[in-house]
Amino acid sequence: MVAPRILTRQPDPAARRRLEQAGIHPLLARLWAARGVAAPQETAPDWPAMLAPSLLTHAGRAAALLADAIAARKRLLIVADYDCDGATACAVGLRGLRAMGAVVDFLVPNRFETGYGLSPAVVELACAHPAGKPDILITVDNGIASLDGVAAAREAGMQVVITDHHLPGDVLPEALAIVNPNQPGCGFPSKHLAGVGVIFYLLLALRAELRQRGAFGGDSGPRLDALTDLVALGTVADVVRLDANNRLLVAQGLKRIRAGRMQPGLRALFSVSGRQAREASTFDLGFALGPRINAAGRLADMSLGIRCLVTDDEDEALKLARELDTMNRERREIEAGMRDQALASLDALPAASAASLCVFDASWHQGVVGLVASRLKDRFWCPTLAFAPAGDGELRGSGRSVPDVHLRDALDLVSKRYPSLIRKFGGHAMAAGLTLHEADFAAFVPAFDAAVRELTGRSRFEPALETDGSLEADYANAEVATLLDQQVWGSGFPAPVFVDAFVIRNQRVVGEKHLKLALERGSQRFDAIWFGHADALPPAVDLAYRLALNNWNGMVSVQLVIEHGQDAAR
């Protein structure tokens, strides 16, 4: 593991002052100002602060098309993606459209058979759908790159409405409407909506259109805020940037979850993962519920995850959640074996000066390569692609990147330099997927490495741990830990990490790989734990840590969760 540089975020003094003057807790004011919050209204998690659906290009057009389709009783079919964002987007679409009177069903591509997105093969499946051939396909969390799929749908007599958030290519599909904040010319201020956020916005626009047509009286109609638990889950699980608008959506979802007003599937997922819904946090969504939904798409069929999210039967939801939990345990075992295999093969190689890492093994599971790439990226701190066989002489790869390298741009550069090398690719700055011919892997590795070097001008990347400096002694308590737990933290708006000097009074290894510590800072004493670290620490250390709550025998106390440590004498 590459040791990180420790950086300290600096809050904007004027912003901090404005936030404090608005009555915000002084510590929160400091933390928020250091994350770019400039005014109190940016912290408001209430509906009036949400960006208007009318700002989203084609949202009005798509809403009118769907309103016409509902009135004509046309068959709609949602084409989903096989990750948590796609599953929650599908569930939101199904629940919302049905509540507005639509005849709608869903189809989710199988990762191992048809691959990602609306492809011609998926169009064939849509034509033969058990609910009948649809009139209109609605993509969620995919479609912006589906030129061939949209063309195939039109040839088969079906129209397409695309809702997506991925970056577009040079040419857009010929769909009836494209709702995507990242398409050219869209002035929507938040470019970080997840796929589930995009379909939620379309439903808001559709309800407004139906109200205008007199389908509902006045401001009545289905309560779409009842779907925000799903919106929050998909948004956090997809690791999109939590800008002000996304924080609002997630805050609204967490509010419903904590109050117990959630879909049966989410209640069941909290139960099987051993988490308390009344204390729900973004951590629970991203690291407990999200992986269990994702396990279906990685190892089997995401329709299992979608069924869990759309059922209103509590018993069925619990049964499906237990199946997802079992799959997630299996996924962990597969991932651990692949990771160990990859590390062993890399250790056997001579030291290299590559700016990137590409790994492949013929025995690997293509549903888990993205997780392996993520673990290797964290260990070696460079953009990493992991590949597995996909049949017919093809490899399917999944990549994760570091902040200095825009992964999709690097793949795009390879495709321009070597047009026949990559069969297809797509993604974001930090994550991407691609398909290669197995025979081209050896040529791809140096081509990708050269693209990374050309885009960045660098051959090495250094990790950095951004912290919030020292925690004021008066705030190192359970009350403040509770306050921090109640906030929305995540990608682009990270949870606070503090750095202070401590004296170690006691340390011992628990569970074979975690370090349990008794720490002292001045007159204060703390319990602490460093997960995944078993090496003893020197008597005096500088520690980067998060404040957390420890519930034990009905007693609530503060606990420090260690992120990094070094000898205070260094």
Side-chain angles (χ1 to χ4, degrees):
M1 189 75 74
V2 183
R5 285 181 300 130
I6 305 298
L7 305 177
T8 303
R9 297 184 186 92
Q10 298 299 327
D12 178 87
R16 180 179 180 179
R17 203 160 43 245
R18 283 193 295 271
L19 294 172
E20 286 190 30
Q21 289 169 353
I24 292 168
H25 189 285
L27 178 60
L28 276 183
R30 171 164 82 86
L31 298 174
W32 284 346
R35 286 158 176 75
V37 175
Q41 54 266 34
E42 293 179 49
T43 69
D46 303 315
W47 290 116
M50 187 185 75
L51 295 171
S54 59
L55 299 173
L56 201 52
T57 297
H58 284 192
R61 180 193 300 181
L65 290 165
L66 293 179
D68 290 342
I70 291 170
R73 304 298 292 163
K74 289 186 175 180
R75 284 197 184 98
L76 310 179
L77 186 69
I78 294 175
V79 179
D81 185 18
Y82 42 65
D83 66 359
C84 187
D85 186 19
T88 52
C90 184
V92 165
L94 286 169
R95 288 184 173 276
L97 287 168
R98 285 171 179 168
M100 287 185 255
V103 179
V104 60
D105 214 309
F106 80 94
L107 170 65
V108 60
N110 187 298
R111 181 191 296 265
F112 312 107
E113 295 171 5
T114 58
Y116 169 79
L118 179 63
S119 62
V122 170
V123 170
E124 286 185 31
L125 294 175
C127 290
H129 196 275
K133 181 183 174 182
D135 300 297
I136 298 176
L137 304 179
I138 305 168
T139 71
V140 292
D141 194 31
N142 74 94
I144 196 65
S146 300
L147 277 71
D148 294 341
V150 171
R154 293 178 64 187
E155 286 175 18
M158 296 178 289
Q159 298 293 342
V160 182
V161 172
I162 290 172
T163 75
D164 199 354
H165 69 125
H166 294 93
L167 299 174
D170 296 333
V171 180
L172 297 180
E174 294 185 11
L176 282 177
I178 298 176
V179 187
N180 182 338
N182 290 301
Q183 68 178 304
C186 182
F188 193 73
S190 170
K191 301 299 182 184
H192 305 289
L193 275 181
V196 69
V198 178
I199 187 64
F200 180 70
Y201 260 83
L202 177 53
L203 291 176
L204 292 172
L206 175 58
R207 186 180 63 181
E209 176 70 20
L210 290 172
R211 282 174 177 168
Q212 203 170 28
R213 297 184 182 196
F216 312 121
D219 286 339
S220 64
R223 289 294 303 267
L224 297 178
D225 61 339
L227 303 174
T228 52
D229 56 344
L230 294 167
V231 176
L233 173 56
T235 299
V236 172
D238 212 45
V239 204
V240 292
R241 185 179 184 84
L242 293 187
D243 58 19
N245 201 62
N246 277 339
R247 292 199 303 276
L248 184 155
L249 294 174
V250 172
Q252 288 292 334
L254 285 172
K255 181 179 175 183
R256 291 191 68 87
I257 293 169
R258 290 166 183 162
R261 295 178 294 147
M262 70 196 97
Q263 319 299 331
L266 263 73
R267 194 183 337 273
L269 287 166
F270 269 98
S271 176
V272 299
S273 59
R275 313 296 295 186
Q276 296 294 326
R278 65 178 177 273
E279 299 167 359
S281 67
T282 50
F283 181 88
D284 297 316
L285 301 182
F287 293 94
L289 275 66
R292 285 167 171 80
I293 293 289
N294 275 326
R298 293 189 186 284
L299 300 188
D301 182 353
M302 184 48 91
S303 60
L304 179 71
I306 294 170
R307 281 166 43 218
C308 182
L309 298 177
V310 297
T311 183
D312 290 321
D313 184 305
E314 299 278 354
D315 291 336
E316 183 187 10
L318 188 56
K319 175 178 173 291
L320 293 168
R322 284 172 175 155
E323 287 185 51
L324 292 169
D325 186 55
T326 300
M327 278 186 191
N328 193 49
R329 294 175 195 277
E330 183 186 348
R331 183 272 305 168
R332 284 181 190 153
E333 292 175 7
I334 293 170
E335 179 195 342
M338 289 168 59
R339 184 187 64 239
D340 292 346
Q341 218 177 337
L343 289 173
S345 65
L346 290 169
D347 287 344
L349 295 174
S353 59
S356 62
L357 188 60
C358 293
V359 291
F360 160 65
D361 190 279
S363 67
W364 285 354
H365 193 297
Q366 61 174 285
V368 186
V369 285
L371 298 173
V372 172
S374 181
R375 301 290 187 269
L376 295 176
K377 178 266 296 181
D378 289 343
R379 177 160 183 151
F380 296 101
W381 204 252
C382 66
T384 301
L385 296 165
F387 292 84
D392 297 325
E394 287 189 345
L395 301 182
R396 199 156 289 152
S398 186
R400 300 294 184 269
S401 195
V402 296
D404 299 293
V405 183
H406 193 298
L407 191 52
R408 187 193 176 280
D409 285 357
L411 294 175
D412 188 49
L413 183 57
V414 174
S415 73
K416 286 182 168 63
R417 292 276 155 81
Y418 307 95
S420 62
L421 203 51
I422 302 177
R423 295 207 61 198
K424 55 185 176 181
F425 71 95
H428 301 291
M430 301 297 285
L434 71 159
T435 302
L436 302 175
H437 283 297
E438 186 170 347
D440 290 332
F441 179 74
F444 172 81
V445 174
F448 177 66
D449 195 71
V452 170
R453 291 170 185 265
E454 182 174 340
L455 284 175
T456 63
R458 297 165 61 183
S459 60
R460 289 175 60 85
F461 306 97
E462 186 180 11
L465 176 61
E466 285 194 291
T467 77
D468 295 285
S470 177
L471 176 64
E472 296 88 337
D474 290 346
Y475 298 150
N477 55 54
E479 181 183 355
V480 170
T482 301
L483 175 69
L484 296 179
D485 262 4
Q486 291 170 342
Q487 309 310 311
V488 174
W489 311 103
S491 177
F493 204 79
V497 174
F498 305 101
V499 175
D500 283 295
F502 294 91
V503 173
I504 296 179
R505 293 305 181 194
N506 186 40
Q507 55 183 315
R508 59 191 173 89
V509 175
V510 296
E512 298 185 358
K513 58 180 181 179
H514 312 302
L515 195 61
K516 186 79 173 164
L517 301 154
L519 304 175
E520 192 175 279
R521 181 175 74 147
S523 61
Q524 294 179 304
R525 296 202 169 204
F526 301 96
D527 289 329
I529 190 162
W530 191 344
F531 292 110
H533 183 100
D535 297 334
L537 297 175
V541 286
D542 293 330
L543 296 175
Y545 62 93
R546 291 184 289 108
L547 272 192
L549 290 171
N550 186 31
N551 291 284
W552 181 254
N553 289 338
M555 299 289 291
V556 179
S557 60
V558 71
Q559 178 179 252
L560 310 187
V561 178
I562 309 303
E563 298 282 337
H564 180 69
Q566 62 184 34
D567 193 327
R570 286 181 60 185

